[in-house]
Amino acid sequence: MVFNQKILISLIAFFTLILSACSEEEGQVEFDIVIDDVLIQMNDGVNLATRVYRPDDNNRYPVLLARTTYYSGAFGSKEIGDYRELGIRMARKGYVVAIQDIRGLYGSEGEWRLFKDDASDGHQTVIWLNEQPWSNGKVGVFGTSALGMTANLLATTNPPGLEAAFVQMAPSQFFEEVIAEGGIYRHELATRWMYFINANYSIKMLHQGKIDEDTYSKLLNANKDFPDLFFHTPLNSFPYLSDNPLYTSIFDHYIQDNYYDYYDIPSNFSNIKIPIYHLGGWYDTFLEGTMKNYQGLQQNGGEGAKGNQKLLMGPWTHQDFGKNGINADSTFFYGDEIYLITEMERWFDYWLKDIDTGVMEEDSIKYFTMGENKWRETKVWPVAGAKEEKWYFNSEKSNSATSINDSLLSKEQPRKEVKNQYKYDPKTPIITIGGRNLFGELGQGPFDQRPAEVDSLTYTSEPLTESLEIGGTVKATLFVSSDAIDTDYTVKLTDVSPNGTSYLLSEGALRMRFREGLDREVFMEDGKVYEIEINLHDISHVFKDGHRIRVAVASSNFPRFDRNSNTGNPLGVDSVEDFVIAENAVHIGPDHLSQITLPVIKNQE
């Protein structure tokens, strides 16, 4: 069903002639375009609102699809809408671009169920698109963040005509990467995003009579209460979310079961049969998912996917992708700027138009090395020749940090047994400063960690006598104990400059009850020493001559991670009054080789 409203976007004649002449020389013709709003009916009768940008003629073109949680603009003003600029640009270049509101949001009917319907709805949408007179039967799907999630889910269904995808900053597994990293609830990501969606969804609930004007106003204004609102307890009574089943289900399923298996891309690697261009950032909240999807599909994808993946990793945060994901540019680095839409054009021109853009002649991975501020290419990750190098926690002083212990980090193993103790009080957690956050209230990227290190254990190397490059996965091995039955351990890797600034590189965390697996709770025994491993994820960085390597260990990084109340109670039930102070410790010595493992690259050009 087509909403018969047509907009003809024309170029000024003189410039049209000039641009057309130039474009035709390159095999690319610019078109006048039409914008149509349509309702696409699913098999259950639900209509999904979709805005279509297309050349204004009767020819057939490849179709690019994005399925959005952030309003396509369909049946509203033609001057707004997610990916509007991209839609116009790509339609002028000989594509049809369809931007669809996912089920239950904005102009689409039905109930939004946290991506549960997006695999099927995306599949049916592709079939509908290829039945239209302007489609040539080839479809590419694209999207950033939540839209990247809908693209990933669509790719698992292999509808006829789906030929390629372009996915930016999207997770691979919902439970492990969106809900709980290392078993710890990702408060800043999950709670804050639920509020954001709630505010966007509230206008529809108001129109449907599900809420009144007063509640609508409060929902909109609630977003302004962050970051202070993160301190609300108990978590399961969070304002305006405690009656939302999409939120409350988190507390019903905080121990991993099969509830979120509907978004588990690794279990579908062999079912995905298309080339995908994966884009991510070293400081992106979904860094792990981007790397996991690329490597999994490149090595284990189905026919058409295996060996045909591409990866672009910059020094970017989740918000560095600019408006509608069209460009990428970090405020902390120079030389990283990339006009992403050009990469998208090269990718889809190759796979949907059979134009030899050279995109598949390049190495499959392009990545930005921080510290050097240099782009590099490789065929494998970690980079060939990268060797694991262990740096051990020692008891000697580094005389470089204002922290609880200010100890030394060294390639030499410690000679004596030491127990570095500290108190962790969940009422006064260490506050998140930058890093891989979704939203900007707490900062994003390589912020100075010295304010957080005051209440942390630190292990710092001597100034390096030569540059040290790392490229791959960083991991920490700790020997720990506590007098609580459950607590958390957080680890940060930083680059300490000669002036003392401690720039965050990577971070990770583990909730001790989940040290044996996210699907079971195993509580601690008072004073018993446990060996644990914490994933600090992938990175490419050069520590310069004269800089130091620092590892900071603590038991909180809030609200990036929810506070552990130290009680062992189920997630979300504890109030501040229930919190328990824990006496935690990191053990170092010949029998307790607490350490950081770095993927060191020698002689990199």
Side-chain angles (χ1 to χ4, degrees):
M1 185 168 82
V2 178
F3 183 70
N4 221 352
Q5 190 176 19
K6 207 174 192 184
I7 289 184
L8 182 62
I9 299 180
S10 302
L11 299 174
I12 299 174
F14 176 71
F15 290 105
T16 303
L17 289 173
I18 293 175
L19 290 171
S20 295
C22 294
S23 298
E24 286 173 11
E25 288 180 7
E26 299 172 358
Q28 297 284 336
V29 177
E30 290 205 349
F31 301 88
D32 288 341
I33 72 167
V34 169
I35 302 176
D36 286 328
D37 292 336
V38 304
L39 291 175
I40 301 177
Q41 190 172 88
M42 301 292 101
N43 293 338
D44 61 358
V46 169
N47 291 304
L48 303 185
T50 309
R51 174 157 287 179
V52 177
Y53 304 82
R54 61 180 177 83
D56 186 29
D57 58 31
N58 296 318
N59 295 321
R60 295 176 178 269
Y61 299 96
V63 182
L64 303 180
L65 169 66
R67 307 190 61 255
T68 182
T69 54
Y70 305 123
Y71 189 38
S72 67
F75 304 101
S77 168
K78 293 298 193 293
E79 301 305 315
I80 61 173
D82 206 9
Y83 284 118
R84 178 181 181 275
E85 180 182 340
L86 184 148
I88 292 172
R89 176 188 174 99
M90 296 304 285
R92 283 175 173 163
K93 290 180 175 290
Y95 286 93
V96 175
V97 181
I99 313 297
Q100 182 177 79
D101 294 333
I102 67 172
R103 179 182 292 249
L105 295 181
Y106 298 101
S108 290
E109 300 170 356
E111 177 187 359
W112 182 57
R113 301 195 305 154
L114 199 63
F115 304 106
K116 285 186 177 180
D117 300 295
D118 287 294
S120 175
D121 286 352
H123 184 102
Q124 294 175 62
T125 297
V126 170
I127 292 174
W128 184 92
L129 291 170
N130 279 335
E131 292 173 347
Q132 304 313 301
W134 30 254
S135 171
N136 71 355
K138 293 184 176 183
V139 175
V141 62
F142 68 96
T144 303
S145 192
L147 286 74
M149 295 173 70
T150 65
N152 284 336
L153 287 168
L154 168 56
T156 67
T157 71
N158 287 306
L162 183 63
E163 301 289 337
F166 191 86
V167 178
Q168 300 169 214
M169 295 184 167
S172 182
Q173 294 173 289
F174 198 87
F175 183 83
E176 294 91 330
E177 298 164 34
V178 180
I179 299 298
E181 180 181 337
I184 310 176
Y185 176 57
R186 294 194 64 178
H187 196 20
E188 185 272 342
L189 165 59
T191 306
R192 186 70 180 83
W193 188 73
M194 286 279 192
Y195 256 78
F196 182 69
I197 290 295
N198 241 12
N200 292 342
Y201 188 43
S202 60
I203 184 65
K204 185 168 186 175
M205 293 190 293
L206 176 64
H207 292 160
Q208 292 173 338
K210 295 180 179 179
I211 59 175
D212 56 25
E213 289 279 359
D214 183 57
T215 303
Y216 170 65
S217 177
K218 289 178 179 178
L219 280 169
L220 290 182
N221 290 327
N223 279 286
K224 301 175 184 177
D225 295 333
F226 289 98
D228 292 344
L229 194 56
F230 282 123
F231 282 89
H232 176 88
T233 61
L235 267 181
N236 63 7
S237 70
F238 221 80
Y240 305 111
L241 290 179
S242 59
D243 60 350
N244 184 334
L246 301 181
Y247 179 74
T248 58
S249 63
I250 293 171
F251 305 100
D252 296 331
H253 302 280
Y254 76 94
I255 302 173
Q256 189 176 33
D257 51 23
N258 62 359
Y259 184 78
Y260 293 105
D261 283 359
Y262 63 87
Y263 191 95
D264 187 87
I265 306 305
S267 65
N268 285 282
F269 281 157
S270 62
N271 296 327
I272 295 175
K273 300 178 180 178
I274 60 171
I276 301 178
Y277 199 139
H278 309 263
L279 297 93
W282 299 128
Y283 291 101
D284 176 42
T285 194
F286 297 133
L287 161 64
E288 182 180 9
T290 299
M291 300 299 293
K292 194 183 296 182
N293 282 341
Y294 166 77
Q295 292 178 301
L297 288 169
Q298 185 74 342
Q299 298 168 12
N300 304 305
E303 183 179 359
K306 185 176 181 179
N308 285 324
Q309 305 299 297
K310 195 167 180 68
L311 175 67
L312 176 66
M313 290 297 300
W316 306 310
T317 72
H318 203 73
Q319 303 300 327
D320 284 338
F321 271 38
K323 183 180 179 182
N324 287 334
I326 287 175
N327 60 285
D329 185 8
S330 169
T331 58
F332 293 98
F333 301 91
Y334 60 87
D336 66 294
E337 305 87 352
I338 286 186
Y339 198 44
L340 296 178
I341 196 169
T342 302
E343 286 298 292
M344 180 176 173
E345 289 172 6
R346 294 176 67 224
W347 186 248
F348 284 131
D349 282 353
Y350 182 89
W351 291 107
L352 303 186
K353 290 187 174 182
D354 298 321
I355 298 173
D356 186 3
T357 62
V359 70
M360 294 304 289
E361 297 173 9
E362 306 160 351
D363 286 345
S364 58
I365 302 172
K366 183 175 181 178
Y367 66 100
F368 189 86
T369 299
M370 301 180 293
E372 284 286 314
N373 289 335
K374 181 185 295 184
W375 284 103
R376 292 189 170 117
E377 295 186 359
T378 182
K379 293 182 173 64
V380 295
W381 188 266
V383 176
K387 302 292 185 183
E388 289 190 346
E389 191 170 279
K390 299 180 186 300
W391 287 70
Y392 299 97
F393 298 1
N394 278 261
S395 58
E396 293 81 4
K397 295 296 183 182
S398 79
N399 298 314
S400 67
T402 302
S403 67
I404 295 172
N405 63 323
D406 181 27
S407 293
L408 186 67
L409 182 72
S410 172
K411 287 193 283 186
E412 299 294 326
Q413 293 186 6
R415 297 180 180 179
K416 62 179 181 179
E417 291 290 329
V418 174
K419 181 181 179 181
N420 291 149
Q421 289 184 285
Y422 62 96
K423 291 185 184 297
Y424 160 52
D425 185 352
K427 292 180 181 178
T428 57
I430 293 174
I431 302 301
T432 300
I433 307 171
R436 296 190 296 113
N437 299 317
L438 180 64
F439 290 89
E441 291 104 340
L442 307 166
Q444 296 170 307
F447 276 60
D448 184 0
Q449 297 300 303
R450 283 178 292 180
E453 291 167 359
V454 171
D455 297 312
S456 304
L457 301 177
T458 61
Y459 304 88
T460 311
S461 73
E462 298 287 358
L464 298 174
T465 57
E466 61 181 4
S467 293
L468 178 73
E469 180 172 354
I470 58 174
T473 305
V474 176
K475 57 187 177 183
T477 302
L478 306 181
F479 289 84
V480 299
S481 63
S482 177
D483 65 354
I485 66 170
D486 184 44
T487 195
D488 294 344
Y489 286 94
T490 66
V491 181
K492 296 175 183 177
L493 174 67
T494 65
D495 181 331
V496 182
S497 68
N499 69 8
T501 306
S502 183
Y503 292 108
L504 180 64
L505 296 177
S506 58
E507 57 192 332
L510 177 68
R511 181 150 292 179
M512 286 299 290
R513 71 173 77 180
F514 293 116
R515 66 191 179 278
E516 295 184 12
L518 300 179
D519 60 348
R520 74 203 75 153
E521 292 180 303
V522 182
F523 293 101
M524 304 176 73
E525 297 178 26
D526 187 357
K528 182 177 179 178
V529 179
Y530 299 90
E531 180 181 0
I532 61 173
E533 183 173 287
I534 296 179
N535 181 8
L536 276 69
H537 310 289
D538 288 276
I539 192 170
S540 175
H541 178 74
V542 173
F543 294 92
K544 290 290 194 177
D545 177 10
H547 287 230
R548 299 173 186 253
I549 304 167
R550 178 173 293 162
V551 179
V553 179
S555 289
S556 56
N557 182 1
F558 177 85
R560 171 164 161 66
F561 298 110
D562 169 44
R563 293 172 286 182
N564 194 321
S565 62
N566 299 322
T567 64
N569 289 333
L571 176 66
V573 302
D574 284 329
S575 297
V576 170
E577 294 76 21
D578 302 309
F579 287 176
V580 173
I581 297 174
E583 185 79 30
N584 294 342
V586 173
H587 298 256
I588 61 178
D591 296 328
H592 300 101
L593 295 175
S594 293
Q595 63 195 251
I596 190 88
T597 302
L598 303 177
V600 174
I601 303 170
K602 302 289 187 181
N603 303 318
Q604 175 84 314
E605 294 182 1

